[in-house]
Amino acid sequence: MTADATWHKSACILCENNCGIRIQTDGRAFAKIRGDKEHVATAGYTCNKALRLDHYQNGGVRLTTPLRREADGSFTPIDWDSAISEIAARLETVRDTHGGKSIFFYGGGGQGNHLGGAYSGALMRALGARYRSNPLAQEKTGEGFVDAHLTGGHTTGDFEHAEVAVFVGKNPWQSHGVPRARTVLKDIAKDPDRAVIVIDPVRTETADLADIHLQVRPGTDAWCLAGILGVLVQEDLVDHAFLTDRTTGAETVLEQLKTVDIARCAQTCGLDEEQLRTAARRIGTASSVSTYEDLGVQQGPNSTLVSYLNKLIWLLTGNFAKRGAMQPHSWIAPLAHYSTRPRRTPVTGARMPGGLVPCNVIAEEILTDHPDRFRAMVIESSNPAHSLADSAAFSEALAALDVVVVIDIALTETGRQADYVLPAASQFEKWEATFFTFEFPRNTFHLRAPVLDPLPGTLTEPEIYARLIRELHAVPHSRLALLRAAARMGRTPYKLAFAALAAIDKSTTGMAPYLLYETLGPTLPDGARSAAVLWALAQRIAKEYPSAMRRAGHADADSLFAAMLAGRSGVTFTQDEYDDAWRYVSHPGHRIPLPIPELLDLLTGLDTTQAVHTTEEFPIVLAAGQRRAFTANTIFRDNTWRKRDQEGALRISRHDAEQLGLAEGAFAQITTQRGTAQATVEIDDRMQAGHAALPNGFGLDLPTADGTERTGVALNTLTDLHWRDPIAGTPWHKHVPARIEPLPA
């Protein structure tokens, strides 16, 4: 250990919980990583994966200069001024020829870096771009569609205090999502008065702790939830007072659920009817219930319907806006637009829940001669050529665009197909934050200071966007001069000047992130220029949640902004009370309208809906993307971080292994309608017969001395973009019909 070894506070960037951590640096190396006991949300908790973050920061091969793709497909390093000038000119050409709406933005986030994405909106506004998407659009938009109709916004479970915790297609032991997940799960499991119910075709680590594991057949979760709802209604386990006082249209929903054939539902999903009834009764008689649905169902058949049925479980039992139940919450910045009438995409007319283009239609919005097709893409901190369904189709779409710009720290699979690749600073080399602020009644936010200086040759995303906007001459110098002068006079004069400018020129709001970066940003301490956008968000919080903000200890927006800048272990920005929770419900009278006619029609149609999607040719359901102890998102571009399962094994049941003639460690070929792949076999008694799983996070093409090397399966060489939810367009990554065959050793 050298003399300059120093401890820094930061956060993990591998899942939405963003646990607070302390990092001891030795030069540029992360010598030690510990949980931050002073962190406002996680109080020292972290899982094993956070401890391996040096493999993100110092593993793999970083980009340190902009790259331009030449006609022969090779890349030429160019300087920043040339890159910015050329990119701005090419985007201007697309805008002036086809309109700004033909320029499509993707990404702007990930699990750790949302701050840069906040500035991309200003570049979109400068170009007249209207459409964007990100990974949420292949995960959470079906749930968001349902949320918009029911409570009007996102809800979160209070699992720390819930009597019954229900996990639907969710394994928080590995995928977290619940703050301090493993501690909370163990606390519930050891309390005889509390219970965990898991609905999952796999016997997961969370299912090991469960009081009831409903091990459904893959893809039949809708029938399982319909059966539970049928029991709740038919055995009169609903909260009639809650329904009368707090909802509308309940009778419509109750009448339909009275007709559910519970026995048939149990049979369809492969459960004993009495086990299904036992789970429903435990829910219906509990003092509090929290539920969590995740990718296991959100990336499978009937996903939007499953979201609706899941939420009806806690609504019919009155488990909303009380301790231990489901809660609304404040936001630092909303991650989606909750509308009951979502916009439509320009070519296919697909719904855009949350305001996001569904990932599975992006290729179709490009590969067409439609005059409104997308013609350019800006892709930030995302790798859609690897992560979206049907990689071959997406690669074809990228090749059909007039210009593709990728902003990332490494030459990713998407970057290799771009026209320009711009090297970004890593998440630990810049001021950064996420907007995953999902807590109630005490909601927290963490602005992270840089742990290291940026690698020479790299820039932060806000600076990249600012340079492009400057090159586009999108903002008159007079406006910047006015705001710079006001900023030098102090925050109050600045606020007055900004408000006056917004009143005079309506474009000010859309360009606000850029204006703040250029004028307020340079006045912030410790080089926190990228945090300037938080000043505007603090103003919004003070306007929308004034009482909750003051309860959290902030007298006004300026004091909240100061606390954000200073809080190295995060800050509580709102402190709500349960009686106030109903003001988050945006519908008339703050009442929850229970019927969603389109989804009630799908519920009725379950009697004739196909529950089995395998065929004689493809007889096994493949879950493409299982979370395991040593898998994470693909920002780890270094395979050495894994201590186990280093090749990404194909997990299959003992029954299937015997039927297929496969032994432990044997090679198998996986074939789907879209492609083939090979993997080693791991026989896993947690898997049902007819169900197999490959892990997420593998299949990256990582640089070697001789070119590139791929370890494990690139899952989306196997998936099909046409297998998607009819409402939200979310993919069926967790339900891919496949054929598995032995290969010679």
Side-chain angles (χ1 to χ4, degrees), residues 218-219 295-301 621-627 691-692 731-736:
L295 274 59
V297 291
Q298 291 174 337
Q299 294 185 339
V621 173
L622 172 69
Q626 185 184 48
R627 190 69 64 88
H691 194 207
W732 287 19
H733 289 331
K734 302 300 189 288
H735 196 94
V736 182

Side-chain angles (χ1 to χ4, degrees), residues 287-432:
S287 61
S288 61
V289 177
S290 285
T291 75
Y292 199 131
E293 61 179 86
D294 210 356
L295 274 59
V297 291
Q298 291 174 337
Q299 294 185 339
N302 310 298
S303 59
T304 303
L305 175 61
V306 166
S307 291
Y308 182 45
L309 300 179
N310 167 50
K311 292 173 190 299
L312 284 179
I313 285 176
W314 50 261
L315 284 167
L316 295 184
T317 54
N319 281 291
F320 180 71
K322 68 178 186 180
R323 180 180 168 90
M326 302 299 293
Q327 318 292 351
H329 57 82
S330 59
W331 294 95
I332 282 286
L335 293 179
H337 303 288
Y338 289 89
S339 171
T340 58
R341 300 179 64 185
R343 295 165 55 204
R344 299 270 180 170
T345 59
V347 173
T348 66
R351 272 182 284 212
M352 296 168 52
L356 301 173
V357 173
C359 294
N360 274 39
V361 308
I362 294 173
E364 294 172 342
E365 296 285 331
I366 298 169
L367 296 171
T368 173
D369 59 2
H370 194 286
D372 293 332
R373 66 186 180 273
F374 297 143
R375 298 173 186 268
M377 279 187 76
V378 177
I379 302 168
E380 183 217 316
S381 305
S382 294
N383 191 6
H386 182 272
S387 63
L388 301 192
D390 201 336
S391 297
F394 191 82
S395 294
E396 183 184 355
L398 287 177
L401 292 165
D402 293 354
V403 60
V404 178
V405 180
V406 167
I407 303 169
D408 215 313
I409 70 169
L411 188 58
T412 64
E413 289 68 27
T414 306
R416 291 190 180 96
Q417 301 175 61
D419 296 291
Y420 294 90
V421 186
L422 302 180
S426 85
Q427 294 190 38
F428 295 107
E429 297 169 355
K430 59 193 173 189
W431 289 87
E432 200 39 281

Side-chain angles (χ1 to χ4, degrees), residues 147-148 150-153 338 582-591:
D147 282 334
L150 294 177
T151 58
Y338 289 89
W582 287 96
R583 65 183 173 82
Y584 289 102
V585 178
S586 59
H587 299 299
H590 301 292
R591 296 169 72 92

Side-chain angles (χ1 to χ4, degrees), residues 113-126:
N113 60 322
H114 289 173
L115 204 55
Y119 291 89
S120 64
L123 179 59
M124 289 183 67
R125 184 62 62 96

Side-chain angles (χ1 to χ4, degrees), residues 110-329:
Q111 302 296 341
N113 60 322
H114 289 173
L115 204 55
Y119 291 89
S120 64
L123 179 59
M124 289 183 67
R125 184 62 62 96
L127 292 166
R130 296 176 54 196
Y131 297 97
R132 74 181 308 155
S133 191
N134 62 45
L136 288 176
Q138 64 170 355
E139 300 173 358
K140 302 296 182 183
T141 45
E143 182 182 8
F145 176 86
V146 176
D147 282 334
H149 283 81
L150 294 177
T151 58
H154 185 254
T155 53
T156 187
D158 179 12
F159 293 95
E160 186 174 358
H161 303 109
E163 180 182 331
V164 174
V166 182
F167 298 106
V168 187
K170 172 71 175 175
N171 179 17
W173 188 267
Q174 295 294 6
S175 63
H176 306 284
V178 176
R180 301 169 46 255
R182 295 182 180 181
T183 299
V184 169
L185 286 172
K186 288 188 286 188
D187 286 346
I188 300 173
K190 67 185 181 183
D191 188 337
D193 296 324
R194 303 173 72 190
V196 174
I197 298 174
V198 169
I199 302 174
D200 201 305
V202 180
R203 182 166 56 82
T204 63
E205 293 87 345
T206 304
D208 287 340
L209 295 171
D211 299 86
I212 301 172
H213 177 201
L214 301 178
Q215 193 168 12
V216 296
R217 291 192 181 109
T220 63
D221 307 86
W223 286 267
C224 178
L225 293 170
I228 290 173
L229 287 166
V231 175
L232 291 174
V233 172
Q234 294 167 32
E235 296 190 7
D236 197 22
L237 297 173
V238 301
D239 187 336
H240 292 285
F242 177 88
L243 297 179
T244 299
D245 296 341
R246 295 296 194 178
T247 73
T248 59
E251 197 56 38
T252 299
V253 175
L254 295 175
E255 286 300 315
Q256 186 156 338
L257 292 172
K258 288 176 182 177
T259 67
V260 168
D261 187 335
I262 298 164
R264 183 173 181 178
C265 286
Q267 181 181 30
T268 299
C269 54
L271 297 175
D272 176 76
E273 181 183 348
E274 191 56 35
Q275 186 189 27
L276 189 69
R277 289 184 179 273
T278 297
R281 291 165 185 155
R282 186 68 183 90
I283 292 168
T285 57
S287 61
S288 61
V289 177
S290 285
T291 75
Y292 199 131
E293 61 179 86
D294 210 356
L295 274 59
V297 291
Q298 291 174 337
Q299 294 185 339
N302 310 298
S303 59
T304 303
L305 175 61
V306 166
S307 291
Y308 182 45
L309 300 179
N310 167 50
K311 292 173 190 299
L312 284 179
I313 285 176
W314 50 261
L315 284 167
L316 295 184
T317 54
N319 281 291
F320 180 71
K322 68 178 186 180
R323 180 180 168 90
M326 302 299 293
Q327 318 292 351
H329 57 82

Side-chain angles (χ1 to χ4, degrees), residues 85-127:
S85 176
E86 292 179 21
I87 291 168
R90 293 187 66 174
L91 291 175
E92 277 188 303
T93 298
V94 173
R95 179 195 64 190
D96 296 344
T97 306
H98 305 288
K101 64 183 180 181
S102 66
I103 302 174
F104 180 58
F105 277 66
Y106 187 89
Q111 302 296 341
N113 60 322
H114 289 173
L115 204 55
Y119 291 89
S120 64
L123 179 59
M124 289 183 67
R125 184 62 62 96
L127 292 166

